[in-house]
């Protein structure tokens, strides 16, 4: 409770606007996931996940460019982070390609539940590479254990009758998306550290949003053409249902990601992570209602563990960072002002230190 209250400490400023943004973020996320699943199912047996991703990225790129033009601020990235920005864009793009591919084989609700396991991948990468955030406390480990148990129960809760032929492939693809998004987070941290070392301004969120969708659009178009092009049913406009679902999925994709950024700019990272965990619960609930998936006590328990573990991990990591910062500040204070520590500790202040010319006092020898 203490960490939760600290996480949401900055919500007093323009709280009504923030609540509206969060509600729109949740709604667009649910719309993006469900319409993408409906569109891919409608176009089956053709696999159009890659082509769908390219359309989503193209719409997001154009919309972001229009927003930047209307605001009169063209976001720019310093030259020193261009290679890292390219890697961030590719990992981000791979994450959404794999996520859309997973929707071909598993329910949208299960795909979103599995997406909640991303902190596991983030922690594994940080520990393996020894980067910032690689040391975990007992609280963070407990949250990760909850995620593992929740993810396992989520897979087991799916009735055998509802498991498609590629069920386990879908689970693998969804976890591959988690790995890609976790790499994106690690690369973003590396870019921020590089900018700080070069005394450059911090990484601009609007700039990275525009460029990662532009690079991702170019990559997915090339891959789509190499994979056989765009199916006529997807681009011909003959089917009004396909057109409506494609437009809804692409516009919801932009809104969902842009609103996530808007909320992040108004909250700290911990509050955003907690809100993101709750967003998954809303998206899972919406997908379950729309597609009529079976709801059991086991599946509800799994969703609760994943959502709670994801939010708990964010809070635990934040608490660990705050404790480390306080310890570092205390050590710096002791080093800079050693006299203050003597005033705080009377026993230490009363104990005389031997001078340079005096021999240290030794305890009296007991008689034999």
């Amino acid at each position: 409770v203490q960490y939760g209250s600290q996480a949401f400490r900055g919500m007093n400023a323009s709280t009504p606007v923030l609540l509206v943004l969060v509600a729109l973020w949740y709604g667009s996320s649910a719309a993006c996931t469900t319409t993408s699943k409906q569109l891919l199912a409608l176009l089956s047996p053709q696999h159009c996940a890659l082509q769908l991703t390219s359309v989503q990225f193209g719409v997001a790129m154009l919309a972001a460019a229009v927003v930047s033009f209307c605001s009169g601020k063209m976001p720019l990235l310093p030259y020193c982070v261009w290679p890292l920005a390219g890697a961030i864009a590719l990992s981000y793009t791979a994450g959404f390609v794999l996520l859309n591919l997973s929707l071909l084989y598993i329910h949208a609700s299960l795909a979103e539940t599995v997406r909640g396991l991303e902190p596991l991948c983030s922690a594994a990468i940080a520990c393996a590479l020894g980067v910032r955030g690689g040391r975990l406390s007992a609280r963070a480990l407990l949250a990760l254990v909850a995620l593992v148990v929740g993810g396992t129960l989520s897979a087991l809760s799916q009735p055998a009758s509802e498991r498609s032929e590629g069920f386990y492939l879908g689970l693998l693809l969804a976890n591959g998306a988690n790995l890609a998004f976790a790499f994106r987070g690690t690369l973003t941290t590396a870019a921020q550290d590089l900018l700080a070392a070069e005394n450059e301004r911090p990484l601009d969120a609007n700039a990275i949003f525009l460029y990662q969708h532009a690079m991702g659009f170019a990559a997915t178009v090339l891959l789509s053409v190499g994979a056989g092009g765009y199916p006529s049913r997807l681009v011909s406009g003959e089917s009004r249902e396909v057109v409506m679902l494609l437009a809804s999925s692409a516009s919801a994709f932009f809104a969902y990601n842009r609103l996530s950024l808007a909320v992040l700019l108004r909250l700290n990272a911990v509050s955003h992570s907690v809100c993101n965990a709750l967003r998954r619960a809303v998206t899972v609930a919406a997908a379950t209602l729309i597609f009529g998936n079976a709801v059991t006590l086991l599946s509800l328990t799994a969703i609760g563990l994943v959502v709670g573990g994801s939010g708990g991990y964010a809070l635990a990591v934040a608490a660990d960072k705050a404790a480390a910062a306080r310890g570092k500040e205390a050590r710096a204070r002791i080093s800079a002002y050693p006299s203050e520590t003597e005033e705080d500790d009377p026993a230490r202040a009363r104990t005389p230190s031997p001078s340079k010319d005096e021999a240290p006092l030794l305890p009296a020898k007991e008689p034999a």
Side-chain angles (χ1 to χ4, degrees), residues 151-164:
T152 304
L153 293 179
S154 182
L156 295 176
S157 67
Q158 301 300 307
S161 58
E162 294 186 9
R163 297 182 185 180
S164 64

Side-chain angles (χ1 to χ4, degrees), residues 287-336:
T288 301
L289 291 174
I290 291 174
F291 296 106
N293 304 137
V295 179
T296 63
L297 179 60
L298 189 62
S299 63
L300 288 176
T301 303
I303 293 170
L305 285 171
V306 170
V307 172
S310 181
Y313 177 78
L315 293 175
V317 170
D320 295 340
K321 287 182 179 178
R326 287 194 299 270
K328 184 177 180 180
E329 183 180 352
R331 288 191 297 271
R333 181 169 173 267
I334 291 172
S335 300

Side-chain angles (χ1 to χ4, degrees), residues 107-282:
H107 293 312
S109 57
L110 178 57
E112 192 62 34
T113 302
V114 174
R115 280 284 293 112
L117 303 179
E118 184 183 331
L120 282 173
C121 297
S122 299
I125 291 173
C127 291
L129 299 180
V131 296
R132 183 154 42 111
R135 298 182 64 180
L136 302 177
S137 66
R139 289 187 296 262
L141 288 173
L142 182 62
L144 292 181
V145 169
L147 283 174
V148 172
V149 174
T152 304
L153 293 179
S154 182
L156 295 176
S157 67
Q158 301 300 307
S161 58
E162 294 186 9
R163 297 182 185 180
S164 64
E165 185 177 345
F167 176 77
Y168 293 104
L169 175 59
L171 290 179
L172 184 63
L173 289 168
N175 279 292
N178 285 339
L179 192 61
F181 287 126
F183 265 118
R184 177 211 177 197
T186 302
L187 291 168
T188 302
T189 301
Q192 292 169 336
D193 292 343
L194 177 60
L195 288 173
E198 296 288 335
N199 293 321
E200 293 279 358
R201 62 182 182 275
L203 193 63
D204 185 80
N206 292 302
I208 198 66
F209 183 89
L210 174 60
Y211 291 129
Q212 71 183 0
H213 284 101
M215 289 186 235
F217 174 66
T220 50
V221 167
L222 290 175
L223 290 174
S224 297
V225 172
Y230 290 78
S232 59
R233 291 180 65 195
L234 185 65
V235 295
S236 64
E238 296 176 0
S239 171
R240 182 175 180 180
E241 186 177 8
V242 170
V243 172
M244 292 298 294
L245 286 174
L246 182 61
S248 300
S249 175
S251 57
F253 174 84
F254 166 72
Y256 146 55
N257 286 286
R258 190 61 184 80
L259 287 166
S260 175
L261 177 60
V263 172
L264 177 60
L265 294 176
R266 285 167 172 78
L267 292 175
N268 57 51
V270 184
S271 304
H272 185 270
S273 296
V274 175
C275 288
N276 199 33
L278 298 177
R279 176 194 64 80
R280 298 195 193 286
V282 173

